[in-house]
Structure formats: C-alpha cells, structure tokens
Amino acid sequence: MKEQKKSPALTGPATQHLTDTTSIADSMRFLKTLIPEETLTNGDPAIIEIRLLQTGSLPETQFLELSKFTENTLKRLFHKAENPKRNVYFGVGARLNKKSGRKQDVGYISTLWLDIDEKDGTSKEEAIKALEEWIFKPSYIIDSGHGIHAYWVLREPAEPSDFGRIEAINKALAKQFNGDMRVVEIAHIMRLPGSMNVKQEPFLPVKILQESDNRYELDDFEEVLPHEELAIKEYKLTGEKPNGNGKGIKPGNFPDETIEKVIDECAFLRHCRDDAKTLREIEWYEMITNLVALGASDSKIHELSAPYPKYTKRETEEKIKHARNDAPGPHTCANIEEHFEGCGECKWHASIKAPSSIPGKIRKPQKSESKKDIPKIEDVGLTVLGFNTKGDIVLWIDGSIITQAIKELNYLKLSMFLNRPVNQSEAGIIRESITREAGRKRLVNESKTVKNGVWRLDGDFYIISGRNVLKITDKVERIDYPVVCGRVVEYEENWLDVDLFETTFENPPDIGSVYQDIQAYVNQWNWKDQEMPGLMAAFLMVAPFQKLFTWRPWIYLIGRRGTGKSLFFEKAIELIYGNLATRLDKTTAYATIQEIEGTGKIPLFDDFEKDRKITALLSALKVSNRSGMITRGTPGKKNRKMKIDHIFWFNSILNSLEDAASFTRTVIFRLNEITRKIDVWSKLEAERTLANILVSVIKHWQDIDAIATRYKDTSIDRRVENVAYALALQAVATESDVINELPQFAVSYENISEDETVLFQAIMDTLTYPDTHTSKSDDALRTVRDLLMNEEPLESKGLKYVKTVKHGERLALRADQVKRYLLKDTDFYKYDISELLGNMDGVIKPSQETRQRFNGATAQCFLIPWEFITESGDHH
C-alpha cells in the first residue's frame, strides 16, 4: 500500500510478557498495530468497527475513523460496556465505510489470527506452549478469558486480492492448533484486549499475555503449513462438488508407452494434447480425470497442461488432487461427446465407456518368466532396512530412504527401483522376499537419519562424506551398512578425501602447526582488529564440530565492497569444506531448516542484507544456539519436529541483526578494504588442510571440550560462551591458557554498534566538487572532509557548517540530500541512513529546533559535533 499515513511502529524488546492487567495504552497500541493505516489506497479514511454484544441485550455497532480513534475513545467504549455488562469486539480488518461489517466492506488486513477455545479440549497452558514452540512465534498472544487468541502481524497490509489467501491460512492455523474454524473469515470480529469476557460466569479479563515485534509475510505460512490446508479454489465442473463428495479415482498402473498409445488413438485425448494452447477448462479437467485413471504421472499431466498460456503448477496440482480424491470417476465418452464433435471420428467410438478403458482393448498379456530366473533377495540390488510403525517396508536405495507400502510394490515400482524390467510374476516373488527380509530386520525408525558431517554417537566420532561412513576410535574403520548407532545414513555429495584422511590419521599433524597455517592464510584479509585472524582461524577449525557444542554462536563478517567478505566465504570456508558448506542466500526460514536438518553442514548466508524475510529467519534460527526443535505440521501423529544445532555464518555491508537477543549470540568480525592480493590455496592444499583439521581436532577434542567447559563455567557472560570453543582450540594449539586474554572485539558491545561510524566515514571520504564548481572549472575531486575543513560550500549536497548558541559548532546534515548526492553509487544507498546517523553519540536528531537554511530552503537536519570532522572521525 502506497502513499499512506502510518501509525508509529512498535518498538521494544523482541518478546514482552505483560502484567496481569492490560492498560488502555496497551489496548491502543494493540489496535494501532493490527490496523496501522489511517487512510486507504483510494485516500478515504480507514474505519474501525467496534461491537458491544451480550445475550439478552441489544447489540450496538460503532464505525469510527481510525485517525480520530484515541485513548479517550477507548475509555468511553469500555465504560459503556460496563452498564449493562457487554463484550467488546473489534473488526480485525479495516473497514471501507460505515455501512456494515460484511466481507465486501473490508479494505485491508494486517494480520493473521487464531481463536483457541478451552471448551474444544485445549487448555490455555497447552495452547500457549504449542504457539511458543512453533516456528513462527505470534506477534500477540491474548488471554480471551476462556481461551487463547493469537495474531501474526504482517509486514505490509494485505489488499483484497490477498483476502482469499488470508482466509486459507487462518483455516490452516485453526487446524494446526485445534482452533475455532468459525473465526477464519476476513470480516470476523475478535475480543478487544482490556475489555471483559462477560459471555458466561465467571467474568474474566481479556488481556495481552505476550507481545513481540515479529512481522511476517503470507508466503512464510504458505510454505510451512500443509499445502492441502491452503487450497482455496473451488471446483465447478460437471456438477461435481469438492469436500470429498465423490469416491475419488483409483489410479491405474499402465506403463508410459501404453498411456502414449491411448493418447494417440483417442480422438479426444489427442485433441487435448495437440490443441493444449486453446483448450477449454472443462476439456482440460476431463483429460486429467482420464489420465489419472490410466495412472499417468503428475509430470506427464503437467507436460500436457503446460502449453496453455495461463497454466500454473498450483492450479494443475489442485485439479489432479481433486480427480484422485473427489471425482466419482473418469469422464465418460458420453460426457465428452456433448461438447466435443471429434468423438464421432474416433476409432473407439461407441466401443468403450471412457478413454481410460482403451488399454483393455489394446493391451496384450505378457508371458511370465520361469521361476528359475527369479533372483534371490540378496542378489536383487535392494537393501531392506526393516519396517516402520505403519507396517510399510523401509528400503535404502542409492543412499536414500524410501518407505513403501507392501501392496504398492508392484512390477512398475520394482522395475524403477532395480533399473531393469520386472514382470508381474517376478514382482510377486521379489515382494515376498522383501517382506520376509523386513520381518527379519524388524522395526526401524526411518525418521532418525544422519547425513554429511562430523558426528559424535555413543562416544565415538563418525564422519559421513557422500557414500563413505567412517568410525573413528584409535583407528579409522569404514562402515558398509547404512545404519550407525540406530540411525539410518542418507547419502549426499562427497566432501572429504577419505583416503587422504586415513593416511593423515596414521601420521597425525601437530595441531599448533595446523592452526598457524590457517591463521597465516586468514591473515591475508585486512581485519579491523589484530586479534581477529587468530580467533577466525580457530572458528574455521572447530566449524565442522558444531554438533558437539553445548552453545553455538553466530559468526558475522561485516565489510564494505572490496573488503573480500564474500571472497572469504568462497576461498576459505567453501574451499576447505567443499560440499559440507552450503549457501543459503536469500532463502526462507523453513527452506533453511529443511536444507540443514539432520546434517553437519556449515550454513552460509552471503550478502545478508535486510529484507522482508530476515525477521522470521532470525527468529527461527535462534533455537540452534542451544540445539532446538522446530515443529511443523498438525498436532499429533502428523506433527514433525526438526532439530537444528548449527553455527550460522553471515556477511553483509552493515549489521542486519535486529534485536539484543541476536547481538548477544553473535561474534562480529569486521573487514577493511583488501590491500594485497590473496594467495589462494590450490584444491590439493585445501584438501590437505581439511584432513589436517579433522585429524588434529579429533585427536585433541577431549582437551578442547574440557577447556571450553571450564571457560563457560567461570563466566556467566553469553559473550564468553560464544567464543569458548574457539578459545579452547587456541589454548590447545598455542599451549597457553587464553581465558585471561579475551579478544576485546568479541566481548565488547562497541564492535556491534560500529555501523554508524562506518557510514559517517564513508560520507567524509566521498570524493565530490564544492558548490562553486562549474563546467569550466579545473577543480580536482576532493573528499568531503577536506572540503568542509577548508570552508568550501556543500549545501547542495546537504552539508553545512553552523554555530548554534545552544549546541556550539555543528555540521548540519540533511540525510535525504546526502544519500542522493554523496551515497548514490555506494553500498549505503539502500539503507535507512537516518537510523544510523541518529545512533551516533552527541548527535541532535532532526526537529523544529534543528531547522537550518540550505541554499535558501529551510529544512530539519541532523546536528553533528564539528569535532567529528576535525578529528579522526572515529566516533560512536
């Protein structure tokens, strides 16, 4: 929504637990957060609907302009609801007018919502616990008196085009948390915090329990919530109804060549294929029902549907799903012939009931092979791990887990698994052999998997690299069976030269020498603090052992363009660790967790600049520090918990962390511009370094872990806990106790808040001309600092020396002009520089008091101490 007047943004701690009562101010802030825009896109005022309701009393509805809605208004409403006793409700969506609270009168919506009622079987305590453990923490949790309300505030208000998505997500949230399905529609009213629930005795207050600054996108929820919950399109074809009124079509199992032959011989299906670009919707769906009945794959149906100009994958999947679950059967030739004239020319006209019946006319029976050619199970090429709690067979094929119902192990599936033709007779014998083997192996939990990484299981080290599984004790043992310590191994890409590792393990390097080599390599980058290369080298060495940590910090590299922060990711972390390092740039929270769950991968976020998904991402990643669970799916059996216990690596131009909780779990490294060429390791050198790291750290892990534990136990400061394992490695590598020599940049809050200094330095170092410059002038470009020091005018660029009575000598700075004329081609142009400038010590922020004249025009500006220019400029 553009050109709109917004209420002040909510500020404060990430999560705020309020008192037992909700004040008028709390209620007002709640309303202005959920309905923030005082004007609609058409310029009309946004309206808030308030209803006073109680059984036995006349309802009273008020439509009030949001811009005129004040705390006094709220007090009057609450007072009015006291006599007689009435419940106070508000419309969650802003109203377009004062006519009614119907769907067509909703202008915009800024939140998703949920109502959990105790009478439906979920206690308040259970509801709050489920909400707090979910991947997306609510922006508000409300005690409604006899239940819990939850709100997830959106970053930007949703317009009518997205109302269908909001209702669908609300419905999915209600199913997820056993909520009330009657409150999902967009015009719904909810209880207003600060009022009383007087629907039944005992009368109870409606109060805010938790409040946070979490803000979300609709995409976030559509990605995490089960897809079937979000299908909002209704089907209106051939009189069929959704919601399971049909029986659903049982897919056939005809091979692809048979399906292709049917399409070639059926006039209607041939028409659907050849004329797909202009196909009518009813014909498209008739084609899908018959293809589903034939057993065509989803990809085949998408292939035939894709030529249509308005084709979408989502709509096609909805049609396929409807055919399988709800359609009474494939459309018949009689149905099709009513609107398709080509049926009369079809070779099968009047001889079949539906196109899907054609295979019975053309398919020839296959000859069965003799039993002497049937292979034994050990020669089949499948590894049977056992069966799961549902009674399905658990197979291990090409390093991946495949769970298959026994009855679905048909000749087509087995042909695919074995990569060779299998006829029906052979399939029956193989299926029987697989079932016997599963019974012999017994129950297996296929959800407990291990993938690439370094693991510590039952006291021993395990390294999984591609198809190689190594167990490390006092020797290296290769494991051939795909289960270690009760966990199933899933193969990924190889990241370690295991032969080189075994050779290195037999002749282990000195850990001090390994550390020195890595520190020397890291030192080629121009770090702002001389202690940074040593600690970074230590973090590089302990990175693959992250799953063994009891606390996992975040590592953050900050530097302007030309400092080599992305190069460090590429030529240090990725070069050493190869496929164990994974890039997660511009991804969502759930996609990140899916990528790394069950692995020891090192997650990297390159160019981690602020965007709309960062808040949700950082909120989800916080559970990784202490090894936490992310819950996805509906409660009960469908619920899936995903564990993340990783050290996350970020880099960006400026600090993108958003709250104190993020700062305290982060170690920030700052880079200056590279001053020399980086001598990058060759692939062979990197592989040797990796083997040296793994062997030396494994050999000394007991000492490293003990020292790290001692460091953590002797300090209650989270910042010490952040660096404990890296410092412990330094202590072992240098044979010295470094706890009394903590790197100040890692434990100092000054390092966190340097962005404003970096920005101000960038402004002062910008090359430009003074205002007196003309096209005929022969002036050279000079730095802003130099021009200001020599009293050259820069008012057109938003800078001016002033001397005030109250504040003394100051640099008057107009942020908009400086950004436009001095920072346009820099890394800082996309940032809100006003926020950063306002954080500088001693700076007076723009107000009526700071108004100054710039080239004849008066404007509010920042007043920055003049000594920031005359001295080094290194101020906060």
Side-chain angles (χ1 to χ4, degrees):
M1 301 181 75
K2 299 177 181 178
E3 303 298 327
Q4 297 174 347
K5 183 180 177 183
K6 295 189 177 182
S7 302
L10 176 64
T11 59
T15 299
Q16 181 179 357
H17 295 263
L18 300 175
T19 61
D20 289 339
T21 59
T22 296
S23 68
I24 292 292
D26 295 332
S27 300
M28 194 68 188
R29 185 172 65 252
F30 169 83
L31 277 176
K32 288 298 182 84
T33 301
L34 266 60
I35 311 177
E37 307 287 357
E38 296 181 351
T39 56
L40 303 169
T41 51
N42 62 3
D44 291 342
I47 307 298
I48 183 169
E49 177 184 359
I50 300 291
R51 292 192 204 175
L52 307 181
L53 301 174
Q54 177 61 315
T55 304
S57 300
L58 289 174
E60 179 179 345
T61 302
Q62 296 189 27
F63 293 96
L64 306 166
E65 291 186 17
L66 183 62
S67 61
K68 299 176 182 178
F69 197 96
T70 66
E71 291 187 8
N72 287 331
T73 310
L74 202 52
K75 286 179 183 178
R76 287 195 297 270
L77 287 168
F78 285 161
H79 180 73
K80 197 170 188 178
E82 290 178 0
N83 188 21
K85 292 288 185 183
R86 285 179 287 180
N87 300 283
V88 182
Y89 296 88
F90 74 101
V92 181
R95 303 321 194 208
L96 290 167
N97 51 54
K98 299 183 179 182
K99 295 178 181 179
S100 78
R102 295 176 300 178
K103 281 188 174 183
Q104 58 265 37
D105 296 311
V106 178
Y108 70 80
I109 299 173
S110 292
T111 187
L112 301 165
W113 62 91
L114 168 70
D115 181 356
I116 303 174
D117 204 322
E118 283 188 311
K119 66 180 173 58
D120 293 330
T122 303
S123 69
K124 292 182 186 179
E125 293 74 17
E126 291 170 334
I128 294 170
K129 185 175 186 293
L131 291 167
E132 289 179 335
E133 290 180 350
W134 198 46
I135 182 173
F136 294 134
K137 309 295 185 294
S139 308
Y140 279 97
I141 296 180
I142 310 296
D143 183 339
S144 63
H146 297 287
I148 293 295
H149 293 176
Y151 298 89
W152 289 265
V153 179
L154 303 176
R155 284 187 177 276
E156 294 292 336
E159 297 185 7
S161 59
D162 283 324
F163 286 176
R165 296 172 69 194
I166 286 179
E167 286 194 351
I169 297 171
N170 281 346
K171 182 179 179 182
L173 287 168
K175 289 187 177 181
Q176 171 100 354
F177 294 101
N178 191 31
D180 190 342
M181 299 296 292
R182 297 170 298 177
V183 303
V184 302
E185 55 94 13
I186 60 169
H188 203 78
I189 56 175
M190 298 286 279
R191 291 187 181 276
L192 181 57
S195 65
M196 293 292 292
N197 183 333
V198 297
K199 186 175 183 180
Q200 63 188 46
E201 293 186 348
F203 296 165
L204 297 171
V206 181
K207 55 190 179 184
I208 300 172
L209 297 179
Q210 293 184 24
E211 173 184 353
S212 79
D213 57 4
N214 294 330
R215 300 295 182 264
Y216 298 101
E217 303 287 336
L218 295 178
D219 292 346
D220 298 329
F221 295 86
E222 289 173 332
E223 185 173 46
V224 171
L225 290 167
H227 180 72
E228 61 268 23
E229 313 286 14
L230 304 177
I232 60 176
K233 185 177 178 65
E234 294 184 357
Y235 297 90
K236 298 180 180 177
L237 297 170
T238 65
E240 296 172 13
K241 299 177 181 179
N243 307 321
N245 291 336
K247 295 180 180 179
I249 299 174
K250 183 179 180 181
N253 59 0
F254 297 107
D256 291 344
E257 55 266 31
T258 300
I259 295 173
E260 289 292 345
K261 188 171 179 64
V262 170
I263 294 172
D264 286 335
E265 296 195 5
C266 172
F268 171 71
L269 293 180
R270 189 169 62 250
H271 155 67
C272 292
R273 178 193 64 193
D274 297 341
D275 301 321
K277 290 183 178 180
T278 57
L279 204 63
R280 291 180 296 168
E281 185 176 21
I282 189 171
E283 294 176 326
W284 175 47
Y285 186 62
E286 289 169 343
M287 174 192 75
I288 289 175
T289 61
N290 278 277
L291 290 175
V292 167
L294 289 166
S297 65
D298 288 7
S299 60
K300 182 63 180 177
I301 297 174
H302 280 286
E303 175 189 330
L304 293 170
S305 305
Y308 186 68
K310 295 184 179 181
Y311 159 83
T312 67
K313 183 177 180 181
R314 179 174 177 176
E315 185 179 13
T316 305
E317 287 175 348
E318 289 173 352
K319 287 288 196 293
I320 296 170
K321 178 187 169 186
H322 182 261
R324 289 194 177 127
N325 298 338
D326 298 295
H331 285 78
T332 65
C333 294
N335 296 140
I336 296 169
E337 195 170 4
E338 289 178 2
H339 55 80
F340 178 63
E341 297 179 354
C343 285
E345 305 298 325
C346 182
K347 64 178 289 188
W348 299 105
H349 185 248
S351 63
I352 57 171
K353 184 177 180 180
S356 57
S357 306
I358 294 176
K361 301 285 186 179
I362 63 176
R363 194 173 180 220
K364 296 180 180 179
Q366 295 176 317
K367 295 182 179 180
S368 61
E369 296 183 8
S370 62
K371 288 188 179 181
K372 67 179 181 180
D373 296 326
I374 307 290
K376 297 178 181 179
I377 187 63
E378 54 265 28
D379 300 324
V380 166
L382 296 175
T383 300
V384 180
L385 300 181
F387 59 89
N388 64 14
T389 54
K390 295 180 180 179
D392 296 336
I393 302 296
V394 182
L395 302 172
W396 193 67
I397 302 175
D398 295 332
S400 295
I401 304 298
I402 295 179
T403 304
Q404 193 72 58
I406 297 173
K407 64 180 181 180
E408 294 178 3
L409 281 170
N410 55 39
Y411 74 97
L412 290 173
K413 285 281 180 70
L414 290 170
S415 297
M416 178 177 67
F417 291 160
L418 299 174
N419 195 27
R420 65 174 178 80
V422 175
N423 63 37
Q424 294 189 21
S425 175
E426 181 184 7
I429 295 177
I430 294 177
R431 185 164 55 245
E432 183 178 347
S433 299
I434 289 174
T435 305
R436 284 201 305 266
E437 181 71 3
R440 187 178 71 81
K441 294 288 183 63
R442 307 306 296 162
L443 188 68
V444 64
N445 186 349
E446 79 275 19
S447 65
K448 282 191 173 183
T449 62
V450 287
K451 304 176 186 177
N452 273 354
V454 178
W455 299 80
R456 191 88 182 273
L457 304 172
D458 294 348
D460 294 321
F461 277 99
Y462 288 85
I463 293 179
I464 299 174
S465 174
R467 294 179 174 270
N468 301 290
V469 181
L470 307 180
K471 179 180 180 180
I472 299 106
T473 52
D474 56 348
K475 61 181 180 179
V476 178
E477 177 185 356
R478 297 202 184 197
I479 307 296
D480 296 325
Y481 190 66
V483 177
V484 293
C485 299
R487 303 186 183 203
V488 181
V489 178
E490 283 196 55
Y491 289 156
E492 296 182 303
E493 294 180 325
N494 190 53
W495 60 276
L496 173 67
D497 184 334
V498 294
D499 294 327
L500 178 60
F501 175 83
E502 288 178 320
T503 302
T504 306
F505 193 86
E506 293 172 1
N507 300 282
D510 173 61
I511 190 171
S513 299
V514 177
Y515 172 71
Q516 288 176 5
D517 289 345
I518 296 173
Q519 184 179 8
Y521 185 75
V522 169
N523 203 36
Q524 295 183 98
W525 278 262
N526 188 10
W527 303 92
K528 186 163 185 178
D529 190 290
Q530 63 181 3
E531 294 178 302
M532 289 182 178
L535 193 65
M536 177 56 75
F539 270 119
L540 276 177
M541 291 182 68
V542 297
F545 298 87
Q546 58 194 342
K547 302 187 83 68
L548 283 65
F549 288 22
T550 56
W551 173 263
R552 299 162 192 84
W554 297 344
I555 312 299
Y556 207 137
L557 276 70
I558 296 177
R560 295 172 61 184
R561 192 178 304 167
T563 57
K565 56 188 184 299
S566 296
L567 184 69
F568 187 82
F569 272 19
E570 179 185 354
K571 298 304 182 184
I573 304 174
E574 291 180 285
L575 181 62
I576 295 173
Y577 292 109
N579 290 322
L580 191 63
T582 180
R583 287 287 189 108
L584 298 168
D585 313 341
K586 307 300 180 186
T587 190
T588 63
Y590 184 66
T592 295
I593 295 162
Q594 275 190 313
E595 171 68 18
I596 65 175
E597 189 226 355
T599 78
K601 290 181 178 179
I602 302 169
L604 307 177
F605 293 87
D606 190 21
D607 194 23
F608 190 68
E609 312 299 347
K610 288 189 177 181
D611 64 25
R612 63 194 183 110
K613 294 185 181 294
I614 277 186
T615 299
L617 178 64
L618 291 177
S619 177
L621 299 189
K622 284 175 184 175
V623 303
S624 68
N625 300 103
R626 194 70 76 184
S627 183
M629 305 296 290
I630 295 293
T631 303
R632 180 180 188 264
T634 53
K637 293 182 179 179
K638 293 183 180 180
N639 186 287
R640 183 187 174 199
K641 292 183 179 292
M642 298 177 290
K643 184 177 183 180
I644 53 173
D645 40 14
H646 299 70
I647 296 175
F648 290 90
W649 297 68
F650 308 91
N651 80 50
S652 64
I653 298 167
L654 295 178
N655 191 337
S656 294
L657 302 177
E658 296 189 333
D659 54 45
S662 298
F663 291 142
T664 58
R665 65 189 70 220
T666 306
V667 183
I668 294 180
F669 293 81
R670 293 185 181 271
L671 286 163
N672 294 322
E673 189 171 349
I674 293 177
T675 57
R676 56 175 171 169
K677 182 181 178 182
I678 305 295
D679 185 10
V680 177
W681 276 332
S682 66
K683 183 179 179 182
L684 181 60
E685 288 173 318
E687 289 175 346
R688 188 179 297 115
T689 299
L690 173 57
N692 287 341
I693 289 172
L694 296 176
V695 170
S696 61
V697 174
I698 288 173
K699 293 278 188 181
H700 292 87
W701 182 255
Q702 188 172 350
D703 293 335
I704 293 170
D705 190 43
I707 294 172
T709 300
R710 177 165 60 86
Y711 287 171
K712 290 181 293 180
D713 290 344
T714 55
S715 174
I716 60 172
D717 194 326
R718 171 65 53 75
R719 293 168 296 170
V720 174
E721 197 171 14
N722 287 338
V723 296
Y725 282 94
L727 290 179
L729 184 137
Q730 279 187 313
V732 172
T734 60
E735 298 182 351
S736 62
D737 195 339
V738 297
I739 188 61
N740 296 319
E741 302 173 6
L742 289 174
Q744 287 304 302
F745 78 88
V747 297
S748 169
Y749 285 116
E750 291 183 1
N751 188 37
I752 293 173
S753 59
E754 284 191 359
D755 289 335
E756 54 267 27
T757 300
V758 175
L759 168 64
F760 190 70
Q761 292 281 40
I763 296 171
M764 292 298 103
D765 293 341
T766 300
L767 294 172
T768 188
Y769 293 111
D771 292 348
T772 54
H773 176 77
T774 66
S775 58
K776 297 181 179 180
S777 303
D778 195 23
D779 303 334
L781 286 167
R782 294 156 62 190
T783 67
V784 168
R785 185 189 306 279
D786 183 39
L787 291 169
L788 289 171
M789 292 289 289
N790 286 280
E791 301 181 11
E792 298 279 4
L794 288 172
E795 292 186 32
S796 65
K797 277 83 172 178
L799 296 170
K800 177 182 179 181
Y801 167 82
V802 297
K803 189 172 183 178
T804 67
V805 175
K806 186 174 181 180
H807 303 296
E809 291 184 299
R810 295 276 170 164
L811 172 67
L813 185 151
R814 286 187 60 185
D816 56 339
Q817 297 291 90
V818 167
K819 185 175 180 179
R820 182 182 305 164
Y821 296 111
L822 298 179
L823 299 177
K824 186 175 182 180
D825 298 320
T826 72
D827 301 329
F828 300 99
Y829 189 72
K830 55 187 172 182
Y831 288 91
D832 179 4
I833 68 168
S834 293
E835 180 182 349
L836 292 171
L837 291 169
N839 290 335
M840 295 175 65
D841 284 347
V843 169
I844 310 300
K845 296 181 181 180
S847 66
Q848 289 295 327
E849 183 183 307
T850 67
R851 291 170 66 85
Q852 297 290 333
R853 293 185 67 82
F854 288 81
N855 286 338
T858 302
Q860 296 181 11
C861 58
F862 288 93
L863 295 182
I864 299 171
W866 186 253
E867 59 265 25
F868 283 20
I869 294 93
T870 57
E871 298 175 6
S872 65
D874 191 13
H875 293 266
H876 294 293

